[in-house]
Amino acid sequence: MDAHEVNRVRASLALFVADVFVSVPRKDQRAKGDCYLRGLMMDGRRKSVQAMAARLPDGNEQNLQQFVNQSLRGLVFSGQASDRLFHAAIRNFSYSA
């Protein structure tokens, strides 16, 4: 996905992020989670924090690194987080040949 395509599904992705990261206590940490997932979804061979931060308009390498090192530790997925929510977040996205 390029940046435009990720932005097309951003509102739906936000609902997915809210559900998946419900156990992350702070709002700023959940926002970093949103940024991290968008970085994973975007085109690019390297999925390192440094490479993702460079591709994202709101990417901040230090914030993403902190999210990966601290916020993901002990993450508890809610019972409602599922593949269904992720597919709903991207169902309007169509791949072009």
Side-chain angles (χ1 to χ4, degrees):
M1 298 177 114
D2 63 22
H4 175 71
E5 293 164 334
V6 171
N7 282 332
R8 276 188 25 210
V9 298
R10 192 166 182 178
S12 297
L13 183 62
L15 296 173
F16 175 74
V17 167
D19 193 48
V20 169
F21 296 127
V22 70
S23 66
V24 175
R26 293 185 8 221
K27 185 178 180 178
D28 64 314
Q29 291 171 319
R30 290 188 298 273
K32 292 173 191 172
D34 176 73
C35 187
Y36 179 71
L37 289 181
R38 284 186 287 113
L40 291 175
M41 292 173 67
M42 288 183 69
D43 292 337
R45 292 181 64 212
R46 291 185 56 230
K47 298 299 180 181
S48 68
V49 168
Q50 181 181 20
M52 289 190 301
R55 286 192 294 267
L56 291 163
D58 58 339
N60 178 299
E61 184 178 349
Q62 183 177 356
N63 285 346
L64 289 176
Q65 190 67 53
Q66 183 179 9
F67 173 78
V68 170
N69 290 335
Q70 295 175 5
S71 300
L72 292 179
R73 195 175 304 151
L75 181 67
V76 177
F77 289 100
S78 76
Q80 297 174 1
S82 68
D83 288 341
R84 177 185 52 79
L85 291 172
F86 181 73
H87 291 292
I90 61 170
R91 81 173 142 231
N92 293 326
F93 174 75
S94 61
Y95 291 95
S96 57

